[in-house]
Amino acid sequence: MKPDSAHQILSDTFGYSAFRGAQQAIVEHVGKGGDALVLMPTGGGKSLCYQIPALMRDGVGIVVSPLIALMQDQVDALKQLGVSAAFLNSSLDADTAREVSRQLMRGELKLLYVAPERLMTEGFLNLLERIRQVGGIGLFAIDEAHCVSQWGHDFRPEYRALTVLHERFPDVPRIALTATADAPTRREIIERLALEQAQQFVSSFDRPNIQYRVALKNNARQQLQTFLETEHPDDAGIVYCLSRKKVEETAAWIKEKGWDALPYHAGLDAAVRNKNQKRFLREEGVIMVATVAFGMGIDKPNVRFVAHLDLPKSMEGYYQETGRAGRDGLPANAWMAYGLGDVVSMRQMLLSGDAPEERKRVELQKLDALLGFCESTACRHQTILRYFGEEHPGDCGQCDNCLTPVDTWNATQAAQMALSCIYRTGQRFGVAHLIDVLLGKATPKVEQFHHQQLSTFGIGKELAQQQWSSVYRQLTAGGFIEVDIEGYGGLRLAEAARPVLRGEQEVWLRRDAEPAKRTSSKAERGSRLREAFAGANEDPLWQALKSKRMELAREQGVPPYVIFHDSTLLEILNQRPQTLDAMGRISGIGQAKLSKYGDAFLQVMEDAANGRWRSQTLKQVNR
Ligand code: ADP
Ligand code: ZN
């Protein structure tokens, strides 16, 4: 192994000038034959950590991955870089699979992606034995290693059997990788994969390029529309909804508003799902409206936003779902609309399910942590990282709470009124009625139940309807109030309400900003994205570069980002290289891509300079 070969491969093959974070240490460690456990957030650059060592070492690198649907794209991307790669999984016909085996035996492959169930067959293990005799095995990479963990939501029983690799091929280095951060999962990976001796590389899980925002829901659709119009008029993104029905309706509505939106949920026919996923990956500017069924292993790098119209179930879910934005490191938005109705319906859903009590308790706790996050006035980046056991100085400048700091107010008296109103009315009414009582409104329902005779009738006139709603939302999110499980949305006092009612505990709540105030800085927020794209969207050259990329991608049946990432294309736009040499210095353009595409993109720029792009490319744009 040459001392500089890791860097050489990084720049010649991948076209990158420097390693990121722990990459270099990992690559050197595994390149020398060491075992490694790599914990890195989504978008951190895990693939290079096994791809470069595989290229440095003799023989073929075997990559175990549960994401069959994505193997094709991963292999396509490697081929674009001039790396001989292939995959083996159940989607291949027998002839193709045999051909891959032959290539392996001839030592023609540097990387092979395999599904775990295929890897564990006796036939494949025997093949590995034979490969060891001929070309050799460079390493085993176990991607998505958290799949060995029973506690994770992606548990794959086949992953448990992967220790066989170590037993049968003890001299082959192994590298396990995951973006799942928590300590129990990490311990289980080490134990289950017998990685006690492996060096651990734990990166920060911060995603500084993601701007987190939680908006108070008043008219979710209108809010989403404003968000899309002002910040993401042409971007690809994901909109998460809780139910299949809402997915369908929202997708239809967004489409009606003029965007290219597609639905995705487990109730759709598999063929439709695949087709929609493919369009999302291969085309530009598609918005996927989906349940959480969508996203596992989606490695489209230029997802510019993730919007939640409903609450995720936990912080883990929120972090994972929002983490699909901005894998390319360019600015991206995580935006969520949240309101009292969400708190009530999520609690009801969890409580009324038929999961065992123990499980429900855990799920409720997880939901509470998420609600705490929604209501928090602290830096979002800091709050998320704390939840995963990592420190962050706060003041990130990239979250709603840092951009528009939120006031808190001493709401002890209001909380007492709100709680005692629940108590006096018999702990069975919903928020709307409770507020009517507090405000002293003699509605038919108030009269029907003689609630105008209660001591709490009309005692809350100092606060407006909106403010009471905010108080109830925060008290519910904070665990002072329970929601009935019969489904009528009635509120009851929780144990935690007692000290408040007895005057033994103060309650501080966030002062919900006027929606207008929060929207006023939107222009400024939108400009962050515009800045990153350097006015690209208005630049005809940008459109010309994009349509050239799309044309090349279509010819080969690969997603556009497999040709060049947005960041690479942006650099071309900003640098305007005039020669192949200059083009080769752009980040993301290695030798293979330079010789494949260098001329084509130089031509695009020359045409642009001559003003010829107008007639040629504009008609292809935005198809
Ligand atoms: P992960 O698997 O950790 O989510 P990827 O391996 O897909 O991340 O990498 C995320 C993105 O970062 C990819 O677009 C990749 O090409 C890019 N990338 C990774 N390492 C580097 C680097 N050293 N320099 C520039 N870009 C990088
Ligand atoms: Zn912040």
Side-chain angles (χ1 to χ4, degrees):
M1 189 181 94
K2 284 176 269 121
D4 64 349
S5 64
H7 261 112
Q8 199 86 51
I9 295 169
L10 181 73
S11 76
D12 291 355
T13 304
F14 292 86
Y16 296 142
S17 55
F19 283 109
R20 266 194 206 154
Q23 277 178 337
Q24 178 162 6
I26 298 165
V27 163
E28 281 169 4
H29 179 73
V30 179
K32 276 190 273 194
D35 289 344
L37 172 62
V38 172
L39 291 98
M40 220 183 241
T42 306
K46 283 184 285 301
S47 331
L48 285 192
C49 297
Y50 60 81
Q51 288 169 345
I52 293 186
L55 295 176
M56 290 159 74
R57 295 176 59 80
D58 290 334
V60 57
I62 307 287
V63 186
V64 188
S65 165
L67 308 169
I68 291 181
L70 293 168
M71 288 184 184
Q72 177 82 60
D73 284 352
Q74 280 158 334
V75 166
D76 284 345
L78 283 165
K79 286 184 176 161
Q80 292 286 332
L81 301 172
V83 175
S84 57
F87 65 88
L88 272 178
N89 63 38
S90 51
S91 74
L92 286 189
D93 59 64
D95 279 349
T96 319
R98 259 194 303 276
E99 178 51 29
V100 171
S101 304
R102 275 195 292 269
Q103 286 179 305
L104 273 172
M105 286 304 292
R106 290 196 297 260
E108 289 170 2
L109 294 176
K110 280 313 289 178
L111 278 156
L112 176 76
Y113 286 77
V114 216
E117 54 276 10
R118 165 76 66 139
L119 180 75
M120 298 325 291
T121 58
E122 205 42 44
F124 189 80
L125 289 169
N126 286 335
L127 178 65
L128 284 182
E129 298 276 7
R130 276 181 286 142
I131 293 167
R132 176 156 62 169
Q133 312 298 323
V134 285
I137 302 170
L139 57 82
F140 291 115
I142 301 160
D143 206 3
E144 313 289 343
H146 59 279
C147 290
V148 295
S149 163
Q150 234 166 13
W151 301 111
H153 32 287
D154 304 325
F155 176 53
R156 303 285 170 125
E158 315 87 59
Y159 259 64
R160 289 286 169 97
L162 289 176
T163 41
V164 149
L165 295 178
H166 182 49
E167 287 153 12
R168 288 181 62 164
F169 307 93
D171 49 332
V172 178
R174 294 173 304 151
I175 169 172
L177 311 102
T178 178
T180 301
D182 62 283
T185 309
R186 193 196 314 181
R187 279 197 295 274
E188 224 184 331
I189 294 174
I190 293 171
E191 189 191 331
R192 292 288 169 182
L193 295 178
L195 283 168
E196 288 85 359
Q197 307 302 321
Q199 188 165 335
Q200 293 187 29
F201 297 89
V202 184
S203 301
S204 165
F205 272 72
D206 193 23
R207 300 289 308 277
N209 61 316
I210 300 184
Q211 187 176 97
Y212 298 101
R213 272 143 58 195
V214 180
L216 276 184
K217 207 184 257 187
N218 44 50
N219 178 346
R221 280 190 175 177
Q222 186 55 53
Q223 289 170 289
L224 178 64
Q225 187 177 346
T226 310
F227 171 69
L228 293 177
E229 275 167 358
T230 52
E231 302 183 50
H232 299 286
D234 313 303
D235 294 333
I238 307 173
V239 176
Y240 280 112
C241 303
L242 199 55
S243 70
R244 298 171 181 185
K245 183 162 167 268
K246 189 158 169 189
V247 162
E248 299 273 356
E249 289 168 0
T250 309
W253 174 79
I254 297 180
K255 219 172 147 173
E256 211 173 277
K257 294 285 164 195
W259 282 279
D260 191 358
L262 296 169
Y264 190 104
H265 58 72
L268 287 173
D269 191 51
V272 177
R273 270 202 321 260
N274 282 339
K275 192 172 128 240
N276 289 358
Q277 169 162 328
K278 211 162 182 171
R279 276 202 57 210
F280 179 70
L281 294 176
R282 307 227 156 167
E283 294 176 28
E284 309 213 58
V286 175
I287 297 178
M288 192 66 111
V289 185
T291 60
V292 290
F294 178 74
M296 163 78 167
I298 288 298
D299 59 1
K300 183 180 171 74
N302 57 343
V303 175
R304 291 269 69 83
F305 70 89
V306 169
H308 279 92
L309 286 189
D310 291 306
L311 280 178
K313 292 199 176 76
S314 61
M315 286 296 282
E316 287 87 345
Y318 176 73
Y319 181 76
Q320 195 173 48
E321 285 146 35
T322 54
R324 288 167 188 144
R327 284 177 83 126
D328 53 11
L330 293 171
N333 282 316
W335 179 87
M336 171 157 73
Y338 150 86
L340 174 60
D342 295 293
V343 186
V344 171
S345 60
M346 278 304 270
R347 285 253 168 87
Q348 266 171 356
M349 201 180 85
L350 290 183
L351 285 167
S352 61
D354 25 62
E357 283 309 310
E358 169 80 349
R359 182 82 209 163
K360 277 187 192 170
R361 212 167 40 95
V362 173
E363 288 185 352
L364 276 174
Q365 276 170 6
K366 286 188 181 276
L367 175 65
D368 284 345
L370 178 78
L371 295 175
F373 166 79
C374 293
E375 299 293 354
S376 167
T377 54
C379 171
R380 304 278 183 204
H381 283 266
Q382 185 180 51
T383 313
I384 293 173
L385 288 178
R386 281 227 172 115
Y387 181 82
F388 293 112
E390 192 183 322
E391 276 308 313
H392 181 287
D395 214 357
C396 70
Q398 286 308 331
C399 76
D400 50 1
N401 288 342
C402 288
L403 289 166
T404 322
V406 186
D407 278 347
T408 55
W409 58 295
N410 186 337
T412 311
Q413 212 189 355
Q416 286 167 340
M417 290 181 191
L419 295 170
S420 81
C421 190
I422 293 178
Y423 184 73
R424 302 272 169 219
T425 51
Q427 313 206 52
R428 60 198 183 96
F429 291 93
V431 182
H433 181 70
L434 293 167
I435 296 179
D436 285 343
V437 174
L438 285 167
L439 293 178
K441 289 192 188 162
T443 64
K445 195 166 176 182
V446 165
E447 283 175 1
Q448 180 191 345
F449 292 98
H450 306 295
H451 284 163
Q452 69 274 43
Q453 288 157 24
L454 297 176
S455 59
T456 49
F457 185 74
I459 57 166
K461 288 182 182 160
E462 268 168 41
L463 298 187
Q465 153 96 29
Q466 198 83 42
Q467 289 165 307
W468 280 118
S469 171
S470 163
V471 168
Y472 275 115
R473 188 193 77 241
Q474 296 185 63
L475 289 175
T476 310
F480 297 96
I481 295 175
E482 288 173 354
V483 179
D484 81 13
I485 47 174
E486 273 79 49
Y488 301 108
L491 302 185
R492 274 198 316 259
L493 299 184
E495 205 42 46
R498 280 170 194 252
V500 178
L501 281 167
R502 286 200 299 255
E504 293 163 10
Q505 189 188 330
E506 284 194 347
V507 177
W508 287 76
L509 298 180
R510 60 181 285 155
R511 202 185 293 283
D512 292 343
E514 308 276 311
K517 190 174 154 211
R518 287 236 149 180
T519 29
S520 67
S521 46
K522 229 171 221 160
E524 165 209 325
R525 294 191 196 115
S527 77
R528 190 179 64 113
L529 274 169
R530 276 202 297 279
E531 227 165 71
F533 283 85
N537 285 328
E538 287 90 55
D539 191 330
L541 177 57
W542 174 245
Q543 302 300 349
L545 291 168
K546 269 171 69 171
S547 59
K548 174 52 78 182
R549 175 174 69 171
M550 185 55 97
E551 179 192 318
L552 293 166
R554 286 224 171 102
E555 271 167 29
Q556 304 177 61
V558 297
Y561 53 80
V562 164
I563 307 285
F564 283 147
H565 279 179
D566 281 2
S567 48
T568 300
L569 217 55
L570 271 176
E571 216 179 304
I572 297 179
L573 178 74
N574 295 330
Q575 310 268 337
R576 313 216 171 189
Q578 303 293 314
T579 61
L580 277 179
D581 248 13
M583 186 75 102
R585 284 193 293 274
I586 302 277
S587 176
I589 306 188
Q591 287 168 353
K593 288 192 177 177
L594 184 66
S595 62
K596 274 198 202 107
Y597 309 124
D599 286 329
F601 282 90
L602 283 178
Q603 190 63 50
V604 173
M605 272 172 297
E606 205 185 305
D607 290 350
N610 298 335
R612 254 185 293 156
W613 52 267
R614 282 171 213 283
S615 53
Q616 283 187 2
T617 51
L618 268 190
K619 54 182 182 295
Q620 295 169 25
V621 169
N622 291 332
R623 257 199 299 154

